[in-house]
């Protein structure tokens, strides 16, 4: 339950990708360790209404990886 609380520590592993914001959770944070690491993708189209100007600028600058 506390593994998803809205704290900076719980969401410190993230990446801005071409497809959206990916948030990673360490082993055991939101599920038992045998389940493995959990990564969640949130598409930018779903995030846009909640982004500040800085957030919009950051996602506009996402480029393909080489």
């Amino acid at each position: 339950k506390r593994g998803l609380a809205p704290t900076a520590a719980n969401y410190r592993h993230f990446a801005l990708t071409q497809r959206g914001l990916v948030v990673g959770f360490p082993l055991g944070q939101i599920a038992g360790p045998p389940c493995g690491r959990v990564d969640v993708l949130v598409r930018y189209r779903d995030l846009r209404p909640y982004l500040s100007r800085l957030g919009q600028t950051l996602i506009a600058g996402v480029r393909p990886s080489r």
Side-chain angles (χ1 to χ4, degrees), residues 53-66:
R53 285 186 183 162
L54 174 59
Q56 292 174 15
T57 300
L58 289 172
I59 65 169
V62 172
R63 301 285 181 254
S65 58
R66 296 179 183 189

Side-chain angles (χ1 to χ4, degrees), residues 45-61:
R45 69 173 179 239
D46 298 323
L47 283 177
R48 277 194 176 87
Y50 306 102
L51 293 174
S52 65
R53 285 186 183 162
L54 174 59
Q56 292 174 15
T57 300
L58 289 172
I59 65 169

Side-chain angles (χ1 to χ4, degrees), residues 10 12-13 24-31 36-38:
N10 283 343
R12 67 184 177 268
H13 304 290
F25 299 94
L27 289 173
Q29 182 171 334
I30 60 173
R37 185 183 75 214
V38 176

Side-chain angles (χ1 to χ4, degrees), residues 7-50:
T7 65
N10 283 343
Y11 297 91
R12 67 184 177 268
H13 304 290
F14 68 93
L16 300 177
T17 71
Q18 281 189 286
R19 296 179 59 211
L21 170 70
V22 176
V23 181
F25 299 94
L27 289 173
Q29 182 171 334
I30 60 173
C35 294
R37 185 183 75 214
V38 176
D39 296 328
V40 178
L41 171 72
V42 183
R43 296 192 183 278
Y44 293 130
R45 69 173 179 239
D46 298 323
L47 283 177
R48 277 194 176 87
Y50 306 102

